[in-house]
Amino acid sequence: ATTKLGNGIFLPHLIASLEQVDQTYIMVKPDGVQRGLVGEIISRFEKKGFKLTGLKLFHCSKELAEEHYKDLNQKSFFPKLIDYITSGPVVSMAWEGVGVVASARKLIGATDPLQAEPGTIRGDFAVQTGRNIIHGSDSPENGKREIALWFKEGELCEWTPIQQPWLRE
Ligand code: ADP
């Protein structure tokens, strides 16, 4: 998707990319915020090369938490999960990029932090499923759905990072 001109100037993304750009919803859960891991987590996604398009810290309502996790509402741990997610402020983020959904899941690691590989966020910073510090969407469809759920209109930012031509040829 990048055009290299004869004089060495790159014109990234003037030609529409054939590769699908996806969005994922990433959330630092209340334990991640309380433990001072917000900067570390943002940094990992930034350094990887994804684009941040939305970011806010807030204390979410029970209704929002229940809607977000509605697929799990028959699970025995559901009430505890809602208490956990609403127990303090969360950091909501929207990240964009080719392959961002699957890559974010790899950066995050397995749901059970004891099974998560070292080097992943959960593998490095957590020990229990009920305190696994971060959420990441599990499909591009859910990425879109969750971003629409957690962000209001006008809260997302369209921009072009200057590093883009150095990340993708
Ligand atoms: P993931 O967050 O890795 O996509 P799931 O969608 O299976 O995992 O579960 C959503 C969240 O519900 C988990 O991140 C975790 O916070 C919580 N959870 C899942 N299973 C359990 C469990 N057995 N006990 C307590 N909390 C759980």
Side-chain angles (χ1 to χ4, degrees):
T2 303
T3 308
K4 187 171 185 229
L5 300 181
N7 60 6
I9 297 171
F10 292 89
L11 278 182
H13 304 287
L14 278 187
I15 300 169
S17 175
L18 293 175
E19 290 167 296
Q20 170 82 37
V21 175
D22 289 322
Q23 276 94 34
T24 193
Y25 175 65
I26 300 294
M27 175 167 69
V28 184
K29 296 175 177 178
D31 49 338
V33 176
Q34 293 287 355
R35 293 181 52 209
L37 293 170
V38 171
E40 171 75 36
I41 289 170
I42 292 176
S43 187
R44 291 191 178 207
F45 289 92
E46 270 189 321
K47 286 176 186 163
K48 174 72 176 167
F50 293 122
K51 179 167 91 172
L52 183 65
T53 58
L55 174 67
K56 63 179 177 182
L57 171 81
F58 79 121
H59 202 136
C60 85
S61 67
K62 194 165 184 275
E63 291 68 33
L64 181 54
E66 284 173 348
E67 177 62 24
H68 174 76
Y69 282 121
K70 68 178 177 200
D71 291 349
L72 299 175
N73 66 12
Q74 297 309 311
K75 302 278 187 192
S76 59
F77 59 80
F78 186 72
K80 266 187 2 186
L81 174 59
I82 300 306
D83 285 348
Y84 162 46
I85 296 300
T86 57
S87 65
V90 297
V91 171
S92 287
M93 292 180 271
W95 288 90
E96 188 178 287
V98 175
V100 69
V101 173
S103 177
R105 298 278 294 184
K106 284 191 182 156
L107 290 171
I108 289 169
T111 305
D112 176 355
L114 290 183
Q115 302 303 320
E117 294 293 330
T120 64
I121 293 167
R122 287 169 174 164
D124 287 351
F125 301 119
V127 292
Q128 202 188 37
T129 303
R131 295 287 182 272
N132 63 3
I133 67 173
I134 182 168
H135 166 83
S137 309
D138 62 7
S139 68
E141 296 67 38
N142 276 336
K144 283 204 191 84
R145 178 184 82 83
E146 292 170 4
I147 289 169
L149 184 64
W150 287 86
F151 286 94
K152 299 192 184 88
E153 205 159 321
E155 286 183 336
L156 299 171
C157 198
E158 263 313 313
W159 62 296
T160 305
I162 55 165
Q163 63 176 342
Q164 215 147 281
W166 302 102
L167 285 165
R168 302 184 58 79
E169 59 178 9

